[in-house]
Amino acid sequence: CRQLFRSPSMPSSVIRPILKRIDRPQDRDTPVKTKRRRSVAGTPSQEAAAEPKPWLLRSKSFSHEEIENLLANDHQELIGDFSKAYLLQTVEGKHQDLKYISPEMMVAVLTGQFSSLIESCVIVDCRYPYEYEGGHIKGAVNLPMEQDVEEFLLKKPIVPFDASKRVIVIFHCEFSSERGPRMCRFVREKDRACNEYPHLHYPELYVLKGGYREFFPQYQTHCEPQDYRPMHHEDFKEDLRKFRLKSR
């Protein structure tokens, strides 16, 4: 036996202690003796009853549709207070931590297709006032500064009269690239700070993908006035400089 486990490069003095049999006291019941006694005393049927066999479960294969449904019901798809799933269909956007909706979905909300489920929809236009005055989505409120949105939304939160209906907030700027997403995060942060987790005044926040720049060419009839004034307009350079200083 020693030769089987011995390496040519290893001295025999190292092998011997490893293979040396440990002497056990003869007057004690060892686990081996106890096991042997039980096996002698018991019948084969008793042994089988004493050692239950583990259950083997057949693995379940999910179809592609079932996997999509499971992913759709994941906690990441729940609104901010985890009470229910997002109502509006979302699309991929620049910031993975935010929920984006398409211009088509925005129009569906504006035309009342979700009126049975939404009591109030607040559209927050985060552009500067001269951009807003040059053309904006009907019903949108112009809140370009953090103190503006905090005053409007959080000082006296909007509460639905019908508890079964929702209050949703949709943010956008010119491209919904920086100002809109930043304001959306700001509202969530302040909302968390003034509520006991996970409760929120506004658990369902969205960002309009593409902003006003993408919405206006497709749905001018939902804008007033029906025009589009970009942030970098030649006639409003001074206004741009002034509001950028304020936002800092």
Side-chain angles (χ1 to χ4, degrees):
C1 294
R2 292 180 182 177
Q3 296 302 321
L4 290 175
F5 295 96
R6 181 176 180 180
S7 171
S9 61
M10 184 178 294
S12 60
S13 60
V14 176
I15 297 299
R16 288 192 186 99
I18 297 175
L19 300 179
K20 184 178 180 180
R21 187 179 185 84
I22 299 173
D23 295 329
R24 295 184 177 85
Q26 299 299 319
D27 58 344
R28 293 184 182 179
D29 286 338
T30 64
V32 176
K33 286 184 178 180
T34 303
K35 186 174 181 181
R36 285 176 179 170
R37 287 176 185 174
R38 289 177 181 173
S39 62
V40 171
T43 62
S45 60
Q46 289 175 333
E47 290 181 14
E51 298 180 5
K53 295 182 180 180
W55 290 94
L56 296 178
L57 300 177
R58 185 186 297 274
S59 62
K60 182 178 179 181
S61 299
F62 290 96
S63 67
H64 182 70
E65 182 179 357
E66 288 174 322
I67 292 172
E68 287 187 339
N69 289 335
L70 288 172
L71 292 174
N73 293 325
D74 187 75
H75 73 277
Q76 293 182 351
E77 297 303 320
L78 297 178
I79 60 177
D81 62 1
F82 314 119
S83 62
K84 56 180 74 73
Y86 279 90
L87 174 63
L88 305 182
Q89 183 179 358
T90 58
V91 294
E92 290 293 325
K94 179 180 178 181
H95 304 278
Q96 297 300 313
D97 60 315
L98 303 177
K99 295 296 182 182
Y100 288 81
I101 61 169
S102 66
E104 293 79 8
M105 187 57 61
M106 171 71 91
V107 171
V109 174
L110 293 173
T111 54
Q113 295 184 34
F114 296 94
S115 58
S116 62
L117 300 170
I118 297 175
E119 183 170 300
S120 179
C121 173
V122 183
I123 303 172
V124 179
D125 190 330
C126 304
R127 296 176 301 158
Y128 301 135
Y130 67 89
E131 298 174 82
Y132 177 85
E133 293 163 3
H136 58 269
I137 298 172
K138 289 180 181 179
V141 290
N142 187 213
L143 304 172
M145 301 295 158
E146 290 181 350
Q147 58 267 30
D148 298 329
V149 76
E150 190 171 7
E151 178 81 14
F152 186 88
L153 290 176
L154 297 173
K155 189 172 183 180
K156 189 178 180 181
I158 302 170
V159 180
F161 292 105
D162 186 346
S164 65
K165 291 190 175 183
R166 311 183 186 212
V167 173
I168 68 171
V169 186
I170 304 173
F171 298 84
H172 81 87
C173 52
E174 184 174 7
F175 301 100
S176 287
S177 177
E178 298 298 334
R179 291 177 288 176
R182 183 169 63 245
M183 196 69 79
C184 182
R185 290 195 186 100
F186 173 78
V187 170
R188 175 53 54 82
E189 179 184 352
K190 290 294 181 180
D191 203 352
R192 285 280 186 220
C194 63
N195 281 290
E196 184 177 351
Y197 187 87
H199 181 72
L200 290 165
H201 294 305
Y202 305 102
E204 196 159 356
L205 307 180
Y206 298 95
V207 176
L208 174 62
K209 186 176 181 179
Y212 190 75
R213 176 65 183 84
E214 187 172 323
F215 183 88
F216 173 73
Q218 303 177 62
Y219 303 103
Q220 295 186 27
T221 56
H222 290 280
C223 302
E224 57 181 11
Q226 293 184 20
D227 202 357
Y228 166 43
R229 183 178 292 164
M231 182 178 70
H232 292 284
H233 195 285
E234 288 293 327
D235 299 338
F236 296 91
K237 288 182 178 181
E238 184 59 28
D239 293 87
L240 174 59
R241 187 188 67 82
K242 179 179 68 175
F243 282 107
R244 275 186 167 173
L245 286 174
K246 279 187 178 182
S247 61
R248 290 175 185 174

